[in-house]
Amino acid sequence: HFVVFVHGGAWGSGFPSMYRLVVQPFIERGMGAAVVGYRTYPTGNVWDQVRDVQTAVRQLCAEREVGSVSLVGHSSGAHISALAVLEGLPEIERCVWLSGVFDIANHYQFESGRGVERISPLAPACGGSLSRWKAASPTRLLSGMRDGMSQTDTDRRLSLPPTLLCHGVLDSTVPYTSSVQFVEELKVVSPAADLLLLEETGHAQTVLELMFGGPLQHTLVEWITKRVPN
């Protein structure tokens, strides 16, 4: 089994080596793992980032005997990874999204309330207009799929991979309601979707526990391991 991790950084910062310890718990259990990078804003916009993640996953699968693949993303990395899967990434068999942003239009309003919308890369990286923000929002894309889907599309909808969303209740960077709303839409099209809300947990703590140890690390590794074919 192989685990691919996509880092966060508000679409405009971050690089793989910052998160290299993420692979350790998976390697210790005999899995392969990699942290992949992507063009950050302004070098690339959100759709460039989606394509970079898709290309990285496909290249890893082509160059290595990876078996089944799980995709893990944190914060904006969860957002672009979710878009990559929704756009079409059949190599992925399991998804884990940590503290993710899944509705760009809603999150812009949240950032405006914090007074950071002018300095955040979110608005320009995701298209610079309300219509483009909606088009880059996994929650709204799933809602549109549900509303426009006929009975004959049911099988395709249910082919989305099993997904676990984890979000801290004390997250002041991305409200946990982001994951709550996304999982509600996700469960309509995929019954294999779960949400884990973490009390006394903030935004960075989810990925820090994955890197340095803690209850969440154990939960994630066990969730992935149980879904790996024997």
Side-chain angles (χ1 to χ4, degrees), residues 105-165:
N106 282 357
H107 197 63
Y108 179 78
Q109 292 180 337
F110 176 75
E111 289 194 341
S112 297
R114 294 174 60 209
V116 299
E117 79 281 5
R118 297 287 184 179
I119 60 174
S120 169
L122 176 146
C126 294
S129 68
L130 181 59
S131 62
R132 291 177 177 174
W133 296 339
K134 290 180 178 179
S137 297
T139 299
R140 295 175 188 253
L141 291 174
L142 282 176
S143 178
M145 288 172 59
R146 180 196 63 196
D147 294 343
M149 189 161 290
S150 67
Q151 186 62 39
T152 57
D153 292 323
T154 300
D155 291 341
R156 181 176 66 83
R157 291 197 303 175
L158 298 183
S159 68
L160 290 173
T163 302
L164 175 65
L165 292 92

Side-chain angles (χ1 to χ4, degrees), residues 80-196:
I80 62 175
S81 298
L83 284 177
V85 171
L86 290 175
E87 285 288 301
L89 198 56
E91 294 85 353
I92 300 302
E93 299 183 28
R94 284 155 299 279
C95 300
V96 178
W97 309 142
L98 307 175
S99 311
V101 181
F102 302 110
D103 190 319
I104 298 301
N106 282 357
H107 197 63
Y108 179 78
Q109 292 180 337
F110 176 75
E111 289 194 341
S112 297
R114 294 174 60 209
V116 299
E117 79 281 5
R118 297 287 184 179
I119 60 174
S120 169
L122 176 146
C126 294
S129 68
L130 181 59
S131 62
R132 291 177 177 174
W133 296 339
K134 290 180 178 179
S137 297
T139 299
R140 295 175 188 253
L141 291 174
L142 282 176
S143 178
M145 288 172 59
R146 180 196 63 196
D147 294 343
M149 189 161 290
S150 67
Q151 186 62 39
T152 57
D153 292 323
T154 300
D155 291 341
R156 181 176 66 83
R157 291 197 303 175
L158 298 183
S159 68
L160 290 173
T163 302
L164 175 65
L165 292 92
C166 305
H167 215 123
V169 174
L170 299 185
D171 193 332
S172 59
T173 303
V174 181
Y176 73 91
T177 51
S178 172
S179 289
V180 171
Q181 293 165 358
F182 184 48
V183 81
E184 288 175 354
E185 295 293 342
L186 190 57
K187 283 183 175 180
V188 175
V189 299
S190 175
D194 299 301
L195 172 63
L196 177 62

